[in-house]
């Protein structure tokens, strides 16, 4: 019980909510097509506290290392939700990621080390739904970019000191789907002094022009969303 309370206090500090005023019923139901960011924060905190107290397990079904320089899919795993928050470092973003007027929540742990990030949303007048849990790398903190014209968002993170992964996702009807993954990797310096750069789309090596077409379509005009690191 003491450990659960400790984790909940960390969560409250993480999302910067000092007092939760919503009741059980009001926290579980959305009565309008849109919802404010403050209201969404309250709902996410309420639900995460509830899940933590219940000892909920989650499935890690995405990996930042997937589809970057190969198409080998990493196995899934089940972990206690408390694993994600039982750390002293963390980050979060609460923004609308699909243009429906309801802010999603991307929240995780592991700043400069391996960790996890989960994506939450509110859908169809029901309690917050868990969309996905990502395994993240130890290279910097994942950034999130939103493309308003396509209503897609990208999670961007280094998978090595030389390789940057850009995963593009779309949320429709409470379902998260991967649109594409593009990556660039800086090679070792050649004998002539040139440094090669390799380009990948969905894990397969491609030409720079093919890479740039995909980049321009989903990332060139994407806006980086505010991320709070604590």
């Amino acid at each position: 019980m003491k450990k659960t309370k400790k984790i909940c206090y960390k969560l409250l500090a993480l999302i910067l909510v000092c007092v939760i005023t919503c009741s059980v019923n009001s926290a579980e139901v959305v009565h309008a097509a849109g919802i404010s960011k403050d209201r969404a924060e309250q709902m996410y905190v309420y639900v995460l506290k509830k899940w933590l107290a219940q000892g909920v397990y989650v499935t890690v079904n995405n990996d930042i290392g997937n589809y970057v320089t190969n198409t080998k899919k990493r196995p899934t795993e089940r972990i206690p939700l408390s694993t994600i928050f039982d750390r002293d470092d963390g980050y979060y973003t609460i923004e609308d990621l699909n243009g429906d007027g309801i802010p999603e929540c991307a929240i995780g742990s592991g700043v400069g080390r391996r960790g996890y990030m989960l994506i939450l949303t509110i859908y169809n007048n029901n309690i917050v739904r868990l969309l996905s849990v990502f395994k993240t790398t130890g290279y910097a903190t994942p950034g999130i970019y939103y493309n308003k014209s396509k209503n897609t968002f990208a999670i961007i993170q280094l998978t090595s000191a030389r390789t940057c992964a850009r995963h593009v996702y779309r949320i429709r009807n409470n379902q998260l789907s991967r649109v594409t993954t593009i990556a660039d990797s800086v090679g070792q310096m050649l004998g002539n002094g040139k440094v090669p750069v390799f380009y990948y789309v969905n894990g397969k090596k491609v030409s720079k022009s093919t890479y740039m077409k995909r980049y321009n379509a989903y990332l060139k005009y994407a806006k980086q969303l505010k991320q709070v690191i604590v």
Side-chain angles (χ1 to χ4, degrees):
M1 180 62 70
K2 289 183 178 179
K3 185 176 181 180
T4 299
K5 287 184 178 180
K6 182 180 179 181
I7 295 170
C8 288
Y9 290 147
K10 285 184 180 180
L11 178 61
L12 290 173
L14 183 64
I15 306 187
L16 304 179
V17 177
C18 298
V19 179
I20 304 301
T21 59
C22 53
S23 66
V24 172
N25 289 334
S26 62
E28 292 183 343
V29 178
V30 184
H31 294 289
I35 184 172
S36 71
K37 187 182 296 187
D38 288 343
R39 176 66 172 142
E41 276 192 5
Q42 291 179 344
M43 295 180 69
Y44 289 128
V45 170
Y46 167 81
V47 171
L48 287 169
K49 283 182 64 180
K50 179 179 178 180
W51 288 347
L52 287 167
Q54 292 173 344
V56 167
Y57 274 66
V58 293
T59 299
V60 182
N61 51 9
N62 273 293
D63 191 320
I64 297 299
N66 279 355
Y67 304 106
V68 179
T69 59
N70 62 69
T71 56
K72 183 179 179 181
K73 191 172 183 179
R74 275 62 173 181
T76 58
E77 62 177 313
R78 293 278 291 173
I79 61 170
L81 181 63
S82 58
T83 301
I84 301 173
F85 297 103
D86 198 13
R87 295 190 178 192
D88 294 325
D89 56 358
Y91 54 88
Y92 72 91
T93 296
I94 297 181
E95 297 285 351
D96 185 358
L97 299 180
N98 62 348
D100 66 353
I102 298 176
E104 276 69 40
C105 176
I107 185 169
S109 62
V111 177
R113 56 178 172 170
R114 292 181 182 275
Y116 299 94
M117 176 177 68
L118 44 81
I119 306 289
L120 302 161
T121 193
I122 304 164
Y123 177 72
N124 197 26
N125 295 332
N126 288 317
I127 199 167
V128 176
R129 305 292 183 85
L130 184 65
L131 281 174
S132 186
V133 181
F134 290 81
K135 181 179 287 186
T136 59
T137 73
Y139 296 91
T141 306
I144 297 181
Y145 292 71
Y146 176 60
N147 185 327
K148 185 176 181 180
S149 66
K150 293 185 178 295
N151 282 327
T152 58
F153 70 96
I155 300 174
I156 300 178
Q157 188 177 28
L158 294 172
T159 57
S160 73
R162 294 174 175 267
T163 303
C164 183
R166 299 171 174 87
H167 297 278
V168 180
Y169 291 91
R170 177 178 286 116
I171 299 172
R172 283 181 178 170
N173 298 325
N174 196 33
Q175 298 295 318
L176 180 72
S177 59
R178 184 177 64 90
V179 176
T180 190
T181 294
I182 64 174
D184 58 79
S185 184
V186 179
Q188 298 287 343
M189 182 181 291
L190 303 177
N192 58 9
K194 294 184 178 181
V195 178
V197 179
F198 305 103
Y199 301 94
Y200 300 84
V201 172
N202 297 328
K204 296 181 180 180
K205 189 179 290 187
V206 298
S207 66
K208 183 178 180 179
S209 61
T210 298
Y211 168 90
M212 289 307 301
K213 286 179 181 178
R214 199 67 60 95
Y215 180 91
N216 290 337
Y218 292 102
L219 289 161
K220 184 176 182 179
Y221 300 106
K223 177 183 178 183
Q224 184 172 12
L225 301 179
K226 181 180 179 181
Q227 185 179 64
V228 179
I229 300 176
V230 295

